[in-house]
Amino acid sequence: MSRGGLIRRFPVLAIRDFRLLLADRLIAPASVGFSLVGVSFAVLKLTNSPTDLSYVLAAQIAPSLIFALLGGVAADRFPPQRVIIAANLMMAVGEGTFGILVLTGRPSLWAMMGLEALTGTGIAIFYPASQALLPRLVPRGMLQEASAISRLAMNTGQMSGAAVAGLLVAATSPGLALVLCGIGMVSTVPLLRSIRAGRESLRPGAGRGVSGLDAVSVSTSSMLTELREGWSEFRSHTWLWVIVAEFCVVMMAWYGAFSVLGPVVARAHLGGAAAWGAITAADAFGLIAGGLVSLRFTPRRPMLFVVLTGGAVAISPLSLAMILPLAAICAASFGLGVFVEMMMVQWTVTMARNIPPEKLARVSSYDVLGSVMAMPAGALIAGPLGSAIGTSRAEYAAAAGTDLGTGPGEGPGPVPPDSDVLGVGAERQRRHGHARRGEHQQPAAAHSDRTPVR
């Protein structure tokens, strides 16, 4: 299809800044794909210990407990693309240095944990800034189309990166994969700097000059005030905090089972790094397929779909627990990826449509904090538990924990006004005075105009 044909079919592609964002969201996730394979197999190669891998991955996710909130405030104060640049450079330094140490020597466990903590800080501040940037670049009516295409680019990049990284690590060294991850992250900086839109502050009163000690005092006070405002907005939406609480449990169980014990299963039973690269690539390929589906399909009850997809995440540890053939595990990863991506598109767009733009990054930071706050515990538990009772039993336990987080018959609570196509939840919210301002009160049919991170 010609460029003109693509733009006629997907008008959002006519927006220059969106095309630049797409390029970033292809290159950066491809670099992350190298990290996904490189970190796990570097630690296992150096230490041969699932417990040590638990410590390293816990160090990677732990900064989210602090820096996700600060990243949300930063993305509401400053242009989100600048925050993303800072995040990508942190990841470049963390993974690139890790790779160099692996290639030139034998880094200590503490060095690996410290470098992954730096990488994790970049990951933590990236998410809220990423959530805040897209709605500033495209018109509201193009938001679902933009979100689906953007995530399609991200997942294509991650699939390609993970597949190539698996082969590269199997043939050479995980250190080389990590160095390439760092190089890729640095290469995104010129693209992000070229984005012109989204540079204005959405905060009232921004830009008033204050200097000296008063500036420090005002800044600290303002940051705390903004965090409180973000928290107030977050907890005012029952549908939001209930689902985030669900995913707190789901992500804790999944992270330990997949990110820590998954490479252990691949190394022991499936053929090593190449097999793990194939599994993560299959997952990303499923995300791509889910993104394509999301361009033309919206679940009838989006928030219920999000909740049920959380329970379906148990498929991942179950396939590893049973040590199915590699092709079957890849098929399970692909299928789960389809539903997870459809869920992520619905979640991203629902957030953008129902949270005021000037608070979106801060609310997204509470979303990511709540979703990942138990993941370090999941990582720390998984390695020792797998060593104590066996990897398969630990995977079964994680699958049970994932479904426990969803709960039998549990619903998402009151839903956002423009996400309840049955109209019941929105009407109940209007009667109790919880409906959002006029521009957010859209009919359910709005989803058909093309609308997580989750």
Side-chain angles (χ1 to χ4, degrees):
M1 185 182 294
S2 67
R3 178 179 176 180
L6 277 174
I7 291 176
R8 283 191 296 273
R9 185 170 181 81
F10 303 110
V12 73
L13 293 176
I15 301 173
R16 170 189 174 275
D17 285 341
F18 179 69
R19 294 197 302 272
L20 289 169
L21 182 65
L22 279 187
D24 165 72
R25 292 191 171 182
L26 184 66
I27 297 171
S31 304
V32 170
F34 280 85
S35 172
L36 289 173
V37 179
V39 170
S40 296
F41 282 88
V43 176
L44 290 174
K45 179 180 179 180
L46 292 167
T47 69
N48 199 33
S49 170
T51 300
D52 287 347
L53 180 57
S54 285
Y55 296 152
V56 172
L57 293 182
Q60 184 190 82
I61 199 66
S64 294
L65 304 183
I66 299 174
F67 291 101
L69 296 182
L70 298 181
V73 173
D76 279 339
R77 284 188 173 202
F78 308 108
Q81 56 266 47
R82 293 184 184 174
V83 179
I84 295 173
I85 288 172
N88 286 359
L89 290 177
M90 288 182 190
M91 289 185 269
V93 172
E95 301 298 65
T97 305
F98 191 175
I100 291 171
L101 290 177
V102 171
L103 290 173
T104 59
R106 187 180 181 88
S108 67
L109 177 61
W110 287 107
M112 292 187 285
M113 291 173 63
L115 290 169
E116 286 308 301
L118 178 61
T119 296
T121 301
I123 294 171
I125 67 174
F126 163 81
Y127 179 77
S130 176
Q131 289 286 86
L133 180 57
L134 183 61
R136 300 191 191 188
L137 303 185
V138 302
R140 183 180 176 84
M142 294 182 177
L143 196 53
Q144 173 149 336
E145 182 179 283
S147 179
I149 293 174
S150 169
R151 293 191 57 80
L152 184 64
M154 292 171 66
N155 296 324
T156 300
Q158 184 171 316
M159 178 195 71
S160 304
V164 173
L167 297 174
L168 182 68
V169 170
T172 59
S173 165
L176 182 57
L178 292 171
V179 169
L180 291 175
C181 171
I183 293 171
M185 285 296 180
V186 171
S187 71
T188 66
V189 173
L191 295 169
L192 292 165
R193 285 178 57 86
S194 298
I195 294 177
R196 297 169 186 160
R199 294 183 179 180
E200 69 284 352
S201 174
L202 298 180
R203 297 185 306 125
R208 288 182 291 207
V210 185
S211 59
L213 294 175
D214 287 341
V216 177
S217 175
V218 169
S219 178
T220 302
S221 174
S222 176
M223 179 175 292
L224 293 176
T225 299
E226 290 173 29
L227 286 173
R228 284 194 296 267
E229 288 174 352
W231 171 250
S232 178
E233 183 71 26
F234 175 81
R235 68 185 179 89
S236 71
H237 301 277
T238 306
W239 60 271
L240 175 57
W241 65 257
V242 166
I243 293 176
V244 169
E246 171 202 349
F247 274 84
C248 179
V249 179
V250 169
M251 296 303 290
M252 177 184 72
W254 172 84
Y255 190 67
F258 188 79
S259 296
V260 177
L261 297 180
V264 175
V265 173
R267 190 169 184 243
H269 302 286
L270 301 173
W276 187 241
I279 293 169
T280 53
D283 176 64
F285 188 46
L287 297 175
I288 294 170
L292 292 172
V293 172
S294 294
L295 285 170
R296 290 292 176 262
F297 172 75
T298 299
R300 191 162 181 258
R301 297 183 64 186
M303 292 299 98
L304 180 59
F305 182 81
V306 170
V307 171
L308 295 178
T309 301
V313 170
I315 293 171
S316 178
L318 279 176
S319 66
L320 293 168
M322 293 185 286
I323 314 179
L324 297 175
L326 177 60
I329 295 175
C330 288
S333 294
F334 171 82
L336 181 59
V338 172
F339 286 98
V340 166
E341 183 59 19
M342 292 173 64
M343 174 197 74
M344 284 297 300
V345 170
Q346 298 310 313
W347 184 256
T348 299
V349 173
T350 299
M351 290 271 287
R353 284 181 166 172
N354 291 280
I355 306 299
E358 70 275 9
K359 296 180 181 178
L360 181 57
R362 281 169 285 167
V363 173
S364 295
S365 70
Y366 282 106
D367 167 26
V368 71
L369 175 64
S371 299
V372 309
M373 65 187 303
M375 286 171 64
L380 290 172
I381 291 169
L385 185 64
S387 298
I389 68 174
T391 302
S392 288
R393 288 190 179 93
E395 294 278 12
Y396 280 121
T402 299
D403 282 335
L404 179 65
T406 304
E410 185 176 312
V415 294
D418 64 354
S419 292
D420 185 12
V421 297
L422 300 181
V424 178
E427 180 61 28
R428 182 170 65 241
Q429 287 184 322
R430 281 191 289 272
R431 288 175 181 172
H432 288 81
H434 294 307
R436 295 211 53 76
R437 297 188 300 272
E439 72 267 26
H440 296 291
Q441 295 175 2
Q442 297 189 11
H447 278 288
S448 65
D449 69 2
R450 303 301 20 125
T451 44
V453 207
R454 289 221 43 78

